[in-house]
């Protein structure tokens, strides 16, 4: 039986901020060191210490924004440790993540070099937990002040004349947890104080992000909105998809059918969370000026055997791809309130785009979802009207007369027949998809192309009627040029 949907192509919904496709890179495990930064003496091909295979692959995703340096690490990070000649930089212990020595070779200048190479925007997360107002304020001055000032002069001494652009600045991270175990009442006051000194130098306005709630902590959201709405541009939300309880992380591969669905269920909870948090935000900000910034999301699974538990290194399968596409569909649905999202994390940590092993690199199924979805960036939402299907997630958008329709069949073994009335005349159509034979189909360093983007042909276009059969465990995107 075919399931029927109508696309209201003539009515353009809210714009999907391209920043929903943001990334996150923390000083955690092998994300920054090895994943991005190999240093200037490395035999791995690099430009100014940044590995080029990774940069080239990421550029293909048109990454709109990159969050750095954490995460929990942000509230331990003292930015002055990471500037000046590398040989003089202070070595610290990364107490959150594996207790390793952090040599601070990747600091502010290296981050902006990466931002430049990727052609992306910077989202810098400041330290409230163990920093000071002055430290945060001086960092902003160092990065963004053009004229003469103590921090701008210091930046020049370190080899950078012009300021960088800091589009987004986070005032603390998880202040309810690793960022200081604060109450919302206390953090709300601190936020008001700290953000005052995130100064705007010259023309450049910095978008200020308050630390928001963990998952369904609605009291935190209520308190922050009540205390600080006029002082923020965005407020964060963190939600990770789990296959079981937080303290019982399940394996990324070799899992039973039950866990295929429990992980997907957990990812789908994002819809309820955004809905309920938005209702609270609407009370204080009915015009939706303040963005909900989901700056950590993705699947959090058991670390790979033999890896350092503090490195959060996990494989990435077709099931994680489902988590990504379903979550992106949810963000599209809430495009009026979700202004940015940053999947955790870009390389070698949690639900990554890319995994590396020394000089080798593989693209994950999640990478291919971001590739399949990239045309949704900055497009307007198109409503897909029809009965909700238990195993299908989908979203559509239009930009420059091109309709993009993405469909996920997350049934573990059954294909699905779908029919769409596109509502407008079609000039040309093409489709690509990813699929997996096994529940845990994934790419490895020995076999890197198990999951890769392929052309999808199992469809018929009859006038403006599109009929298709989508296999189980598949994510497909149609690119439809309208006449
Ligand atoms: O992404 C890993 C960690 O998860 C981040 O450092 C922290 O903010 C969250 O708890």
């Amino acid at each position: 039986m075919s399931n029927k949907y109508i696309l209201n192509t003539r009515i353009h919904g809210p714009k999907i901020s391209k920043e929903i496709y943001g990334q996150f890179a923390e000083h955690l495990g092998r994300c920054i060191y090895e994943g991005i930064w190999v240093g200037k003496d490395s035999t791995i091909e690099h430009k100014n210490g940044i590995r080029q295979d990774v940069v080239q692959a990421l550029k293909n995703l048109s990454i709109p924004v990159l969050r750095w340096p954490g995460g929990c690490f942000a509230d331990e990070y003292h930015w002055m440790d990471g500037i000046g000649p590398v040989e003089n930089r202070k070595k610290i212990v990364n107490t959150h993540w594996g207790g390793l020595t952090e040599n601070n070779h990747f600091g502010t200048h290296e981050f902006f070099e990466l931002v430049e190479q990727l052609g992306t925007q910077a989202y810098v997360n400041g330290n409230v937990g163990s920093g000071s107002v002055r430290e945060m304020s001086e960092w902003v001055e160092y990065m963004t002040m053009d004229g003469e000032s103590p921090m701008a002069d210091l930046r020049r001494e370190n080899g950078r004349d012009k300021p960088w652009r800091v589009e987004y600045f986070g005032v603390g991270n998880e202040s309810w947890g690793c960022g200081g175990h604060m109450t919302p009442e206390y953090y709300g006051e601190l936020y008001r104080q700290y953000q005052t000194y995130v100064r705007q130098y010259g023309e450049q306005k910095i978008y200020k992000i308050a630390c928001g709630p963990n998952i369904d902590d609605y009291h935190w959201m209520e308190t922050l909105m009540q205390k600080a709405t006029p002082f923020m541009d965005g407020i964060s939300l963190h939600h990770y998809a789990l296959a079981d309880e937080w303290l019982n992380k399940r394996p990324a591969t070799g899992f039973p059918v039950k866990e295929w669905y429990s992980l997907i269920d957990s990812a789908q909870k994002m819809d309820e969370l955004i809905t309920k948090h938005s209702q609270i935000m609407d009370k204080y900000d009915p015009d939706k000026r303040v963005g909900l910034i989901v700056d950590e999301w993705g699947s959090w699974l058991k670390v790979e055997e033999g890896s350092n538990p503090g490195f959060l290194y996990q494989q990435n399968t077709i099931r994680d791809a489902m988590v990504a596409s379903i979550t992106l569909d949810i963000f599209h649905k809430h495009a009026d309130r979700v202004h940015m999202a940053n999947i955790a994390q870009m390389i070698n940590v949690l639900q990554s785009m890319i995994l590396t092993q020394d000089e080798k690199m593989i693209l994950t199924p999640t990478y291919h979802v971001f590739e399949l979805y990239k045309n949704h960036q900055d497009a307007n939402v198109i409503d897909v009207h029809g009965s909700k299907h238990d195993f299908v997630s989908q979203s559509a958008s239009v930009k420059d007369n091109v309709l993009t329709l993405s469909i996920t069949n997350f049934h573990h073994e059954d294909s699905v027949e779908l029919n769409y009335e596109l509502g407008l005349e079609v000039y040309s159509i093409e489709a690509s998809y990813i699929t997996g034979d096994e529940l845990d189909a994934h790419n490895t360093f020995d076999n890197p192309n198990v999951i890769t983007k392929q052309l999808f042909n199992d469809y018929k276009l009859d006038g403006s009627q599109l009929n298709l059969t989508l296999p189980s465990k598949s994510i497909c995107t149609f690119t439809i040029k309208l006449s």
Side-chain angles (χ1 to χ4, degrees):
M1 196 195 70
S2 183
N3 302 274
K4 290 187 186 308
Y5 297 96
I6 299 170
L7 268 69
N8 295 327
T9 327
R10 287 173 202 278
I11 302 172
H12 293 189
K15 189 160 150 186
I16 298 168
S17 312
K18 62 177 189 299
E19 285 79 9
I20 282 172
Y21 289 82
Q23 299 283 335
F24 171 34
E26 182 168 5
H27 288 236
L28 195 178
R30 296 183 298 114
C31 182
I32 295 287
Y33 296 105
E34 183 186 319
I36 295 166
W37 179 256
V38 288
K40 294 187 179 163
D41 300 327
S42 175
T43 53
I44 296 175
E45 195 197 336
H46 67 89
K47 185 175 166 199
N48 297 326
I50 294 173
R51 64 188 290 171
Q52 291 303 292
D53 50 353
V54 162
V55 167
Q56 290 317 317
L58 291 171
K59 276 177 88 157
N60 175 44
L61 297 183
S62 309
I63 290 174
V65 59
L66 178 62
R67 178 176 184 236
W68 172 84
C72 295
F73 183 77
D75 280 291
E76 298 205 283
Y77 185 57
H78 301 286
W79 68 272
M80 283 210 181
D81 297 346
I83 56 171
V86 280
E87 59 281 9
N88 297 344
R89 293 191 192 172
K90 190 168 165 183
K91 292 191 172 62
I92 58 161
V93 181
N94 190 337
T95 52
H96 263 293
W97 304 120
L100 247 75
T101 302
E102 154 73 56
N103 61 18
N104 275 306
H105 283 191
F106 191 91
T108 304
H109 291 249
E110 291 74 20
F111 170 65
F112 282 101
E113 170 72 26
L114 174 64
V115 164
E116 236 161 76
Q117 288 191 22
L118 290 175
T120 192
Q121 303 177 93
Y123 171 8
V124 175
N125 211 118
N127 178 347
V128 172
S130 69
S132 67
V133 177
R134 178 174 177 173
E135 184 182 11
M136 187 180 283
S137 166
E138 288 186 335
W139 198 11
V140 173
E141 183 188 325
Y142 187 89
M143 292 185 286
T144 62
M145 172 71 188
D146 196 3
E148 205 182 307
S149 83
M151 291 302 117
D153 293 348
L154 181 60
R155 184 189 67 234
R156 287 190 192 97
E157 270 171 39
N158 290 327
R160 171 80 187 192
D161 179 22
K162 284 286 158 206
W164 296 286
R165 283 191 71 82
V166 177
E167 276 85 5
Y168 300 92
F169 195 88
V171 179
N173 168 74
E174 298 199 346
S175 306
W176 38 263
C178 65
H181 293 107
M182 300 175 195
T183 63
E185 289 76 15
Y186 180 67
Y187 171 76
E189 297 299 324
L190 276 190
Y191 174 76
R192 290 168 64 112
Q193 181 191 0
Y194 272 68
Q195 68 77 35
T196 307
Y197 303 94
V198 176
R199 297 286 191 204
Q200 178 178 335
Y201 294 99
E203 299 287 282
Q204 201 210 323
K205 171 158 173 28
I206 299 181
Y207 184 108
K208 297 177 194 174
I209 301 173
C211 167
N214 187 27
I215 320 174
D216 55 0
D217 185 349
Y218 300 114
H219 173 63
W220 185 285
M221 179 59 90
E222 183 86 45
T223 311
L224 260 291
M225 291 304 289
Q226 193 255 321
K227 274 188 184 296
T229 297
F231 305 106
M232 62 172 86
D233 299 300
I235 182 162
S236 65
L237 167 68
H238 291 180
H239 167 59
Y240 285 97
L242 306 171
D244 200 339
E245 298 297 313
W246 174 250
L247 292 176
N248 186 27
K249 302 276 172 14
R250 308 301 301 150
T253 55
F255 50 81
V257 174
K258 184 172 148 247
E259 289 177 21
W260 168 272
Y261 288 110
S262 58
L263 186 73
I264 289 174
D265 278 356
S266 174
Q268 285 177 315
K269 194 172 172 199
M270 185 69 88
D271 191 16
E272 177 192 321
L273 295 173
I274 297 175
T275 304
K276 292 190 174 164
H277 283 300
S278 297
Q279 280 163 3
I280 299 171
M281 294 176 77
D282 285 349
K283 282 203 295 184
Y284 299 91
D285 177 40
D287 297 336
K288 299 185 191 290
R289 180 190 62 81
V290 177
L292 186 60
I293 308 295
V294 190
D295 57 15
E296 288 188 30
W297 67 274
S299 39
W300 193 317
L301 300 161
K302 196 170 176 177
V303 298
E304 293 303 311
E305 244 177 69
S307 69
N308 185 326
F311 282 14
L312 308 186
Y313 177 69
Q314 65 191 40
Q315 245 302 352
N316 192 300
T317 68
I318 190 73
R319 179 180 61 160
D320 298 290
M322 307 278 134
V323 167
S325 62
I326 290 168
T327 308
L328 291 168
D329 290 340
I330 295 169
F331 293 154
H332 294 175
K333 178 176 163 195
H334 296 279
D336 56 347
R337 185 57 95 178
V338 180
H339 293 184
M340 193 205 294
N342 310 72
I343 189 168
Q345 297 193 6
M346 194 156 74
I347 301 164
N348 291 332
V349 170
L350 300 174
Q351 188 174 350
S352 306
M353 302 296 116
I354 289 176
L355 303 177
T356 65
Q357 194 179 73
D358 304 321
E359 75 293 346
K360 291 188 198 158
M361 171 194 96
I362 54 173
L363 307 177
T364 66
T366 302
Y367 175 95
H368 293 298
V369 174
F370 274 66
E371 194 183 16
L372 284 172
Y373 270 61
K374 70 181 174 186
N375 281 345
H376 290 294
Q377 293 191 19
D378 275 346
N380 287 88
V381 174
I382 295 295
D383 177 45
V384 183
H385 184 74
S387 320
K388 196 176 168 342
H389 190 291
D390 285 347
F391 298 100
V392 173
S393 171
Q394 56 194 338
S395 58
S397 68
V398 70
K399 183 173 62 180
D400 302 333
N401 220 29
V402 176
L403 176 67
T404 304
L405 170 63
S406 296
I407 313 162
T408 300
N409 173 10
F410 58 87
H411 197 281
H412 74 286
E413 57 185 6
D414 293 346
S415 61
V416 63
E417 283 178 28
L418 301 164
N419 167 279
Y420 294 89
E421 168 53 59
L422 299 176
L424 284 174
E425 223 178 289
V426 171
Y427 174 73
S428 70
I429 184 164
E430 59 177 46
S432 303
Y433 81 132
I434 59 170
T435 192
D437 291 340
E438 310 295 331
L439 290 182
D440 67 348
H442 60 277
N443 297 333
T444 63
F445 292 97
D446 293 332
N447 208 350
N449 293 317
V450 175
I451 310 278
T452 187
K453 197 174 81 164
Q454 308 167 47
L455 279 182
F456 179 71
N457 296 313
D458 202 359
Y459 70 89
K460 275 210 175 75
L461 182 70
D462 186 2
S464 59
Q465 295 276 323
L466 173 65
N467 291 292
L468 60 112
T469 305
L470 193 59
S472 68
K473 308 187 278 300
S474 298
I475 301 161
C476 179
T477 288
F478 283 86
T479 308
I480 304 164
K481 288 201 178 125
L482 301 170
S483 296

